[in-house]
Each structure stands twice: as C-alpha cells, then as structure tokens.
Amino acid sequence: MGNILVADDDMTCRDSIRKVLEREGHVVQAAENVDSALEALCANHFDLVVCDYRMPGKTGIDLLIELKR
C-alpha cells in the first residue's frame, strides 16, 4: 500500500484521516503544520500528501508550492 502524509492543524481531523487510511493498509505519518510536513517530506518518500487548506502561519497552498519545487 501507499505511504501517505496527512497535514492538518486540527487534531481530530488529522487523527480521523490517519485511522481510516491505516485501516485500509496504508502507512500514514501526520503533521500538525506546514513546517512539520516539510520536515517529514525531506526525511521520507510519500506517495500521497493530504493537506488542509487553512493552517496557522502557512497554508496548504504554501505546502503544495514547496512540494512542486
């Protein structure tokens, strides 16, 4: 299965998404903000990134721009 990163500042949403994906057999890492997500991306390969649009400081769009680089 896939290696997935879930980035969301809302702990309930983040954990819910993680649990559903793990039940489907995926390996999931969670990040609470864009900076944490970028650190995870530098250290690991992910097949998919699921991110919230509105997070404190930097948005999900900021994360996608960094991913594209």
Side-chain angles (χ1 to χ4, degrees):
M1 290 300 200
N3 193 23
I4 301 172
L5 174 64
V6 176
D8 195 322
D9 62 311
D10 184 302
M11 183 176 65
T12 302
C13 288
R14 187 175 62 238
D15 288 345
S16 295
I17 294 167
R18 180 184 52 79
K19 287 176 185 177
V20 168
L21 292 171
E22 286 178 343
R23 274 194 301 250
E24 293 297 319
H26 300 286
V27 175
V28 181
Q29 185 171 343
E32 61 190 23
N33 56 45
V34 171
D35 291 331
S36 298
L38 290 173
E39 287 178 22
L41 286 161
C42 287
N44 302 289
H45 166 78
F46 293 97
D47 301 304
L48 177 69
V49 176
V50 177
C51 68
D52 185 11
Y53 174 75
R54 292 188 180 156
M55 290 186 276
K58 298 176 185 172
T59 67
I61 298 297
D62 296 322
L63 177 57
L64 294 175
I65 289 169
E66 288 297 320
L67 279 171
K68 191 171 180 179
R69 288 184 212 201

